[in-house]
Every structure is written in C-alpha cells, then in structure tokens.
Amino acid sequence: LSLPVFVTENIARLTEHEVMVFAAQVAADHTVDLESVRTIPRRLVVALGNESRGLSADTLKEAACRFTIPQTRHIESLNVAATAAIALHYLRGLKAGA
C-alpha cells in the first residue's frame, strides 16, 4: 500500500485542476466535524499542517472543506500523525461524488 505524499508551495494549482482540498484544522468558525462529512470528491487532497503553526492562510482559503476531529474538552490537540490516521480512515469509507 502506498499514498502519494507531497509538498507544494501553490495549493491553487491543485484547485485549478479540479482537485478539491479538505483541510484539517483546529475547531473554528468555518470548520465542520469530520463525522458530518458524508461524501468526498473523486479528486481529493487532504491537507495537514504542522502541529505548531497549522496550515497556511492560502491553503485554508482554497479548501473546499475545513474539518476538525471532535475531541473531549481536556485534549488540546492531536498530533499530525494521529490526525492523518483518523481522517484518512474515516474518509476512505465514504462514497466518492462527482
């Protein structure tokens, strides 16, 4: 098994090619719980930021979906590896849309 993992300086180039970006983010005004996502696009990139700074403003602006992973009140955040594992496991079970 393998996943394509890469770094890009210009996330807009992906969206220009009809790739939708789902961005992991700490809970905020424009985020949805991961569990509320019911379908995924056929061409999807899951964007994960580092644990101290998160994703860039440009990436968040381009994101079609900003999601958060629900946590109990006593947990400040998940590390990026845990976030990736949870998000990818959940998203792989969803039906791809158009």
Short mmCIF file of all heavy atoms in Angstrom, two decimals, residues 10-57:
data_model
loop_
_atom_site.label_atom_id
_atom_site.label_comp_id
_atom_site.label_asym_id
_atom_site.label_seq_id
_atom_site.Cartn_x
_atom_site.Cartn_y
_atom_site.Cartn_z
N ASN A 10 2.11 26.12 -3.92
CA ASN A 10 0.97 26.81 -4.52
C ASN A 10 -0.23 25.88 -4.58
O ASN A 10 -0.43 25.18 -5.57
CB ASN A 10 1.36 27.31 -5.91
CG ASN A 10 0.27 28.15 -6.55
OD1 ASN A 10 -0.82 28.32 -5.99
ND2 ASN A 10 0.55 28.68 -7.73
N ILE A 11 -1.03 25.89 -3.55
CA ILE A 11 -2.19 25.00 -3.47
C ILE A 11 -3.24 25.34 -4.55
O ILE A 11 -3.99 24.47 -4.98
CB ILE A 11 -2.80 25.04 -2.06
CG1 ILE A 11 -3.71 23.85 -1.81
CG2 ILE A 11 -3.54 26.33 -1.79
CD1 ILE A 11 -3.01 22.60 -1.50
N ALA A 12 -3.26 26.56 -5.02
CA ALA A 12 -4.22 26.95 -6.05
C ALA A 12 -4.02 26.15 -7.34
O ALA A 12 -4.98 25.93 -8.08
CB ALA A 12 -4.12 28.45 -6.33
N ARG A 13 -2.81 25.69 -7.60
CA ARG A 13 -2.57 24.88 -8.81
C ARG A 13 -3.38 23.58 -8.77
O ARG A 13 -3.81 23.09 -9.79
CB ARG A 13 -1.09 24.57 -8.96
CG ARG A 13 -0.29 25.84 -9.28
CD ARG A 13 1.13 25.53 -9.58
NE ARG A 13 1.20 24.82 -10.86
CZ ARG A 13 2.20 24.04 -11.21
NH1 ARG A 13 3.21 23.85 -10.39
NH2 ARG A 13 2.19 23.44 -12.37
N LEU A 14 -3.58 23.04 -7.58
CA LEU A 14 -4.40 21.83 -7.46
C LEU A 14 -5.86 22.12 -7.77
O LEU A 14 -6.51 21.39 -8.51
CB LEU A 14 -4.27 21.24 -6.06
CG LEU A 14 -2.90 20.71 -5.68
CD1 LEU A 14 -2.88 20.32 -4.21
CD2 LEU A 14 -2.53 19.53 -6.55
N THR A 15 -6.37 23.19 -7.18
CA THR A 15 -7.79 23.50 -7.38
C THR A 15 -8.07 23.90 -8.83
O THR A 15 -9.17 23.69 -9.31
CB THR A 15 -8.27 24.59 -6.40
OG1 THR A 15 -7.49 25.77 -6.55
CG2 THR A 15 -8.17 24.11 -4.96
N GLU A 16 -7.07 24.44 -9.52
CA GLU A 16 -7.23 24.75 -10.95
C GLU A 16 -7.44 23.49 -11.77
O GLU A 16 -8.01 23.53 -12.84
CB GLU A 16 -5.99 25.49 -11.47
CG GLU A 16 -5.85 26.90 -10.95
CD GLU A 16 -4.50 27.50 -11.26
OE1 GLU A 16 -3.66 26.85 -11.94
OE2 GLU A 16 -4.26 28.63 -10.81
N HIS A 17 -6.98 22.34 -11.27
CA HIS A 17 -7.13 21.05 -11.96
C HIS A 17 -8.26 20.22 -11.36
O HIS A 17 -8.24 19.00 -11.44
CB HIS A 17 -5.83 20.28 -11.90
CG HIS A 17 -4.71 20.91 -12.69
ND1 HIS A 17 -4.81 22.09 -13.36
CD2 HIS A 17 -3.45 20.49 -12.91
CE1 HIS A 17 -3.68 22.38 -13.96
NE2 HIS A 17 -2.84 21.43 -13.70
N GLU A 18 -9.23 20.91 -10.77
CA GLU A 18 -10.43 20.28 -10.22
C GLU A 18 -10.13 19.27 -9.11
O GLU A 18 -10.84 18.29 -8.94
CB GLU A 18 -11.27 19.66 -11.32
CG GLU A 18 -11.74 20.69 -12.34
CD GLU A 18 -12.53 20.09 -13.49
OE1 GLU A 18 -12.80 18.88 -13.48
OE2 GLU A 18 -12.89 20.85 -14.40
N VAL A 19 -9.08 19.53 -8.38
CA VAL A 19 -8.78 18.75 -7.18
C VAL A 19 -9.32 19.54 -6.00
O VAL A 19 -9.01 20.72 -5.85
CB VAL A 19 -7.26 18.53 -7.02
CG1 VAL A 19 -6.95 17.82 -5.72
CG2 VAL A 19 -6.71 17.77 -8.21
N MET A 20 -10.14 18.90 -5.19
CA MET A 20 -10.68 19.58 -4.02
C MET A 20 -9.78 19.33 -2.82
O MET A 20 -9.23 18.24 -2.66
CB MET A 20 -12.10 19.12 -3.74
CG MET A 20 -13.06 19.53 -4.85
SD MET A 20 -14.76 19.09 -4.48
CE MET A 20 -15.19 20.42 -3.39
N VAL A 21 -9.65 20.35 -2.00
CA VAL A 21 -8.81 20.27 -0.81
C VAL A 21 -9.69 20.20 0.42
O VAL A 21 -10.59 21.04 0.60
CB VAL A 21 -7.87 21.49 -0.72
CG1 VAL A 21 -7.07 21.47 0.56
CG2 VAL A 21 -6.97 21.56 -1.94
N PHE A 22 -9.47 19.20 1.25
CA PHE A 22 -10.09 19.10 2.56
C PHE A 22 -8.97 19.39 3.56
O PHE A 22 -7.95 18.71 3.56
CB PHE A 22 -10.67 17.71 2.82
CG PHE A 22 -12.01 17.46 2.18
CD1 PHE A 22 -12.47 18.18 1.10
CD2 PHE A 22 -12.83 16.47 2.69
CE1 PHE A 22 -13.70 17.93 0.52
CE2 PHE A 22 -14.06 16.20 2.14
CZ PHE A 22 -14.51 16.93 1.05
N ALA A 23 -9.15 20.39 4.39
CA ALA A 23 -8.10 20.84 5.30
C ALA A 23 -8.43 20.50 6.75
O ALA A 23 -9.50 20.85 7.24
CB ALA A 23 -7.91 22.35 5.15
N ALA A 24 -7.50 19.84 7.42
CA ALA A 24 -7.64 19.57 8.84
C ALA A 24 -7.28 20.84 9.61
O ALA A 24 -6.27 21.47 9.31
CB ALA A 24 -6.73 18.43 9.25
N GLN A 25 -8.12 21.20 10.56
CA GLN A 25 -7.91 22.44 11.29
C GLN A 25 -8.48 22.29 12.70
O GLN A 25 -9.43 21.54 12.92
CB GLN A 25 -8.61 23.59 10.57
CG GLN A 25 -8.36 24.95 11.16
CD GLN A 25 -9.08 26.06 10.39
OE1 GLN A 25 -9.99 25.81 9.61
NE2 GLN A 25 -8.67 27.28 10.62
N VAL A 26 -7.89 23.02 13.64
CA VAL A 26 -8.45 23.08 14.98
C VAL A 26 -9.84 23.71 14.86
O VAL A 26 -10.07 24.58 14.00
CB VAL A 26 -7.54 23.93 15.89
CG1 VAL A 26 -8.15 24.13 17.27
CG2 VAL A 26 -6.17 23.28 16.02
N ALA A 27 -10.78 23.29 15.68
CA ALA A 27 -12.15 23.80 15.62
C ALA A 27 -12.17 25.33 15.58
O ALA A 27 -11.51 25.99 16.38
CB ALA A 27 -12.96 23.28 16.80
N ALA A 28 -12.92 25.87 14.62
CA ALA A 28 -13.05 27.31 14.44
C ALA A 28 -14.40 27.59 13.79
O ALA A 28 -15.19 26.67 13.55
CB ALA A 28 -11.91 27.83 13.56
N ASP A 29 -14.65 28.85 13.47
CA ASP A 29 -15.93 29.26 12.90
C ASP A 29 -16.30 28.53 11.61
O ASP A 29 -17.44 28.21 11.39
CB ASP A 29 -15.95 30.77 12.62
CG ASP A 29 -16.02 31.58 13.90
OD1 ASP A 29 -16.42 31.03 14.94
OD2 ASP A 29 -15.65 32.77 13.84
N HIS A 30 -15.34 28.27 10.76
CA HIS A 30 -15.64 27.72 9.44
C HIS A 30 -15.29 26.24 9.32
O HIS A 30 -15.06 25.74 8.22
CB HIS A 30 -14.93 28.51 8.35
CG HIS A 30 -15.33 29.95 8.32
ND1 HIS A 30 -16.57 30.36 7.91
CD2 HIS A 30 -14.67 31.06 8.70
CE1 HIS A 30 -16.66 31.68 8.01
NE2 HIS A 30 -15.51 32.12 8.49
N THR A 31 -15.23 25.53 10.45
CA THR A 31 -14.92 24.10 10.39
C THR A 31 -16.18 23.27 10.64
O THR A 31 -17.14 23.74 11.24
CB THR A 31 -13.86 23.70 11.44
OG1 THR A 31 -14.34 24.01 12.75
CG2 THR A 31 -12.53 24.37 11.19
N VAL A 32 -16.15 22.04 10.13
CA VAL A 32 -17.22 21.08 10.40
C VAL A 32 -16.59 19.86 11.05
O VAL A 32 -15.42 19.57 10.82
CB VAL A 32 -17.97 20.66 9.10
CG1 VAL A 32 -18.64 21.86 8.45
CG2 VAL A 32 -17.04 19.98 8.12
N ASP A 33 -17.35 19.18 11.87
CA ASP A 33 -16.86 17.93 12.44
C ASP A 33 -16.64 16.93 11.31
O ASP A 33 -17.47 16.81 10.41
CB ASP A 33 -17.86 17.34 13.42
CG ASP A 33 -17.86 18.06 14.76
OD1 ASP A 33 -16.94 18.87 15.00
OD2 ASP A 33 -18.76 17.80 15.57
N LEU A 34 -15.55 16.22 11.37
CA LEU A 34 -15.23 15.22 10.35
C LEU A 34 -16.40 14.25 10.16
O LEU A 34 -16.72 13.87 9.04
CB LEU A 34 -13.96 14.46 10.74
CG LEU A 34 -13.52 13.35 9.80
CD1 LEU A 34 -13.21 13.90 8.40
CD2 LEU A 34 -12.31 12.63 10.37
N GLU A 35 -17.07 13.89 11.25
CA GLU A 35 -18.17 12.93 11.18
C GLU A 35 -19.38 13.45 10.39
O GLU A 35 -20.23 12.68 9.99
CB GLU A 35 -18.60 12.54 12.59
CG GLU A 35 -17.51 11.82 13.34
CD GLU A 35 -17.77 11.72 14.83
OE1 GLU A 35 -18.50 12.58 15.38
OE2 GLU A 35 -17.24 10.78 15.44
N SER A 36 -19.43 14.76 10.14
CA SER A 36 -20.55 15.31 9.36
C SER A 36 -20.30 15.25 7.86
O SER A 36 -21.20 15.48 7.06
CB SER A 36 -20.86 16.75 9.79
OG SER A 36 -19.83 17.62 9.35
N VAL A 37 -19.08 14.95 7.45
CA VAL A 37 -18.75 14.81 6.03
C VAL A 37 -19.32 13.47 5.57
O VAL A 37 -19.03 12.42 6.14
CB VAL A 37 -17.22 14.86 5.80
CG1 VAL A 37 -16.89 14.62 4.34
CG2 VAL A 37 -16.65 16.18 6.29
N ARG A 38 -20.16 13.49 4.53
CA ARG A 38 -20.84 12.27 4.08
C ARG A 38 -20.38 11.77 2.72
O ARG A 38 -20.56 10.60 2.39
CB ARG A 38 -22.36 12.51 4.04
CG ARG A 38 -22.94 12.82 5.38
CD ARG A 38 -22.91 11.58 6.23
NE ARG A 38 -23.49 11.86 7.54
CZ ARG A 38 -22.96 11.46 8.66
NH1 ARG A 38 -21.85 10.77 8.68
NH2 ARG A 38 -23.53 11.74 9.80
N THR A 39 -19.82 12.64 1.88
CA THR A 39 -19.28 12.23 0.59
C THR A 39 -17.96 12.95 0.36
O THR A 39 -17.70 13.99 0.97
CB THR A 39 -20.23 12.56 -0.59
OG1 THR A 39 -20.42 13.97 -0.64
CG2 THR A 39 -21.56 11.85 -0.45
N ILE A 40 -17.17 12.39 -0.52
CA ILE A 40 -15.90 13.02 -0.87
C ILE A 40 -15.84 13.20 -2.38
O ILE A 40 -16.48 12.45 -3.12
CB ILE A 40 -14.69 12.20 -0.38
CG1 ILE A 40 -14.73 10.77 -0.93
CG2 ILE A 40 -14.61 12.21 1.14
CD1 ILE A 40 -13.49 9.96 -0.63
N PRO A 41 -15.09 14.19 -2.84
CA PRO A 41 -14.94 14.34 -4.29
C PRO A 41 -14.05 13.24 -4.85
O PRO A 41 -13.27 12.61 -4.13
CB PRO A 41 -14.26 15.71 -4.42
CG PRO A 41 -13.59 15.93 -3.12
CD PRO A 41 -14.39 15.22 -2.09
N ARG A 42 -14.17 13.00 -6.15
CA ARG A 42 -13.33 11.97 -6.80
C ARG A 42 -11.85 12.34 -6.75
O ARG A 42 -11.00 11.48 -6.68
CB ARG A 42 -13.77 11.78 -8.23
CG ARG A 42 -15.12 11.13 -8.34
CD ARG A 42 -15.37 10.64 -9.76
NE ARG A 42 -16.73 10.18 -9.91
CZ ARG A 42 -17.18 9.00 -9.48
NH1 ARG A 42 -16.36 8.19 -8.88
NH2 ARG A 42 -18.44 8.66 -9.66
N ARG A 43 -11.55 13.61 -6.84
CA ARG A 43 -10.16 14.08 -6.79
C ARG A 43 -10.00 14.90 -5.51
O ARG A 43 -10.47 16.02 -5.42
CB ARG A 43 -9.84 14.90 -8.02
CG ARG A 43 -10.04 14.08 -9.30
CD ARG A 43 -9.66 14.83 -10.51
NE ARG A 43 -8.20 14.77 -10.60
CZ ARG A 43 -7.48 15.51 -11.43
NH1 ARG A 43 -8.08 16.35 -12.22
NH2 ARG A 43 -6.18 15.41 -11.47
N LEU A 44 -9.32 14.32 -4.54
CA LEU A 44 -9.25 14.90 -3.20
C LEU A 44 -7.83 14.92 -2.68
O LEU A 44 -7.09 13.95 -2.84
CB LEU A 44 -10.12 14.07 -2.24
CG LEU A 44 -10.02 14.38 -0.75
CD1 LEU A 44 -10.56 15.77 -0.45
CD2 LEU A 44 -10.77 13.34 0.06
N VAL A 45 -7.47 16.02 -2.06
CA VAL A 45 -6.23 16.14 -1.30
C VAL A 45 -6.62 16.48 0.12
O VAL A 45 -7.45 17.37 0.35
CB VAL A 45 -5.32 17.26 -1.87
CG1 VAL A 45 -4.21 17.60 -0.90
CG2 VAL A 45 -4.75 16.85 -3.20
N VAL A 46 -6.05 15.75 1.07
CA VAL A 46 -6.25 16.06 2.48
C VAL A 46 -5.01 16.84 2.93
O VAL A 46 -3.90 16.32 2.87
CB VAL A 46 -6.44 14.79 3.33
CG1 VAL A 46 -6.58 15.15 4.80
CG2 VAL A 46 -7.66 14.02 2.85
N ALA A 47 -5.23 18.08 3.33
CA ALA A 47 -4.13 18.95 3.74
C ALA A 47 -3.98 18.92 5.26
O ALA A 47 -4.95 19.08 5.99
CB ALA A 47 -4.39 20.38 3.27
N LEU A 48 -2.74 18.70 5.69
CA LEU A 48 -2.42 18.63 7.11
C LEU A 48 -1.29 19.60 7.40
O LEU A 48 -0.27 19.59 6.69
CB LEU A 48 -1.98 17.22 7.50
CG LEU A 48 -2.94 16.09 7.14
CD1 LEU A 48 -2.24 14.76 7.25
CD2 LEU A 48 -4.16 16.15 8.03
N GLY A 49 -1.45 20.41 8.40
CA GLY A 49 -0.39 21.35 8.76
C GLY A 49 0.48 20.80 9.86
O GLY A 49 0.19 19.74 10.42
N ASN A 50 1.53 21.52 10.17
CA ASN A 50 2.36 21.06 11.29
C ASN A 50 1.67 21.39 12.61
O ASN A 50 0.70 22.14 12.65
CB ASN A 50 3.78 21.60 11.20
CG ASN A 50 3.87 23.08 11.44
OD1 ASN A 50 3.12 23.65 12.22
ND2 ASN A 50 4.80 23.74 10.77
N GLU A 51 2.17 20.81 13.66
CA GLU A 51 1.47 20.88 14.94
C GLU A 51 1.54 22.24 15.61
O GLU A 51 0.69 22.57 16.41
CB GLU A 51 2.00 19.77 15.85
CG GLU A 51 1.67 18.40 15.29
CD GLU A 51 2.51 17.29 15.87
OE1 GLU A 51 2.92 17.41 17.03
OE2 GLU A 51 2.74 16.31 15.15
N SER A 52 2.52 23.05 15.28
CA SER A 52 2.61 24.35 15.94
C SER A 52 1.95 25.47 15.15
O SER A 52 1.29 26.33 15.73
CB SER A 52 4.07 24.71 16.23
OG SER A 52 4.79 24.84 15.02
N ARG A 53 2.08 25.46 13.83
CA ARG A 53 1.55 26.57 13.03
C ARG A 53 0.31 26.20 12.22
O ARG A 53 -0.36 27.08 11.69
CB ARG A 53 2.64 27.10 12.10
CG ARG A 53 3.77 27.79 12.84
CD ARG A 53 4.79 28.40 11.91
NE ARG A 53 5.39 27.46 10.98
CZ ARG A 53 6.45 26.71 11.24
NH1 ARG A 53 7.02 26.77 12.42
NH2 ARG A 53 6.93 25.89 10.34
N GLY A 54 0.05 24.94 12.01
CA GLY A 54 -1.11 24.55 11.21
C GLY A 54 -0.89 24.82 9.74
O GLY A 54 0.24 24.91 9.26
N LEU A 55 -1.98 24.98 9.01
CA LEU A 55 -1.92 25.23 7.57
C LEU A 55 -1.82 26.72 7.28
O LEU A 55 -2.26 27.56 8.07
CB LEU A 55 -3.18 24.67 6.89
CG LEU A 55 -3.29 23.15 6.90
CD1 LEU A 55 -4.70 22.71 6.55
CD2 LEU A 55 -2.28 22.53 5.96
N SER A 56 -1.30 27.04 6.11
CA SER A 56 -1.17 28.44 5.71
C SER A 56 -2.54 29.04 5.43
O SER A 56 -3.50 28.32 5.12
CB SER A 56 -0.29 28.56 4.46
OG SER A 56 -0.99 28.05 3.33
N ALA A 57 -2.62 30.34 5.49
CA ALA A 57 -3.86 31.05 5.18
C ALA A 57 -4.30 30.77 3.74
O ALA A 57 -5.49 30.63 3.47
CB ALA A 57 -3.70 32.55 5.41
#
